[in-house]
Amino acid sequence: MEQLIIYLARALVDSPDQVSLRASDVEGARLYELKVAPEDVGKVIGRDGRTVGALRTLLGAAAQKQGQKVRLEIQDDRRQPTPASTTAPEGQ
């Protein structure tokens, strides 16, 4: 399964050497976290999420054939982390 994800992701991006995949077991399913170069995230997600949707469909079909459950998530390092808590200015 890992080889399929990496193969497809590398075919989509401009920087295939920056494609990495992390796998873990979560809630009875195999979770795959795909990381690509920041400038390639849009290519992997696609317009309105169509590309990542197609990838998930392919993986789901391959996993079902093997009797497995899988999830695919794309890591997007372009987003700024949001602060855990905010403090109001004094006097408010």
Side-chain angles (χ1 to χ4, degrees):
M1 197 69 60
E2 291 90 354
Q3 292 175 340
L4 175 62
I5 298 168
I6 290 173
Y7 176 80
L8 292 170
R10 286 183 177 163
L12 293 170
V13 300
D14 291 331
S15 302
D17 56 317
Q18 293 188 32
V19 172
S20 65
L21 186 68
R22 187 171 70 180
S24 58
D25 292 317
V26 177
E27 299 175 9
R30 190 77 169 160
L31 171 64
Y32 294 102
E33 294 175 287
L34 180 64
K35 185 174 182 180
V36 297
E39 60 272 7
D40 287 331
V41 171
K43 292 178 181 86
V44 174
I45 294 173
R47 184 171 294 174
D48 295 327
R50 290 185 185 134
T51 303
V52 73
L55 288 172
R56 288 176 175 146
T57 299
L58 285 170
L59 293 176
Q64 185 176 16
K65 187 174 181 180
Q66 296 178 356
Q68 300 175 352
K69 292 183 181 182
V70 296
R71 287 178 37 203
L72 175 65
E73 293 182 5
I74 310 300
Q75 286 187 327
D76 189 354
D77 292 339
R78 299 173 304 165
R79 290 192 252 167
Q80 296 295 326
T82 55
S85 64
T86 57
T87 56
E90 288 188 35
Q92 290 188 2

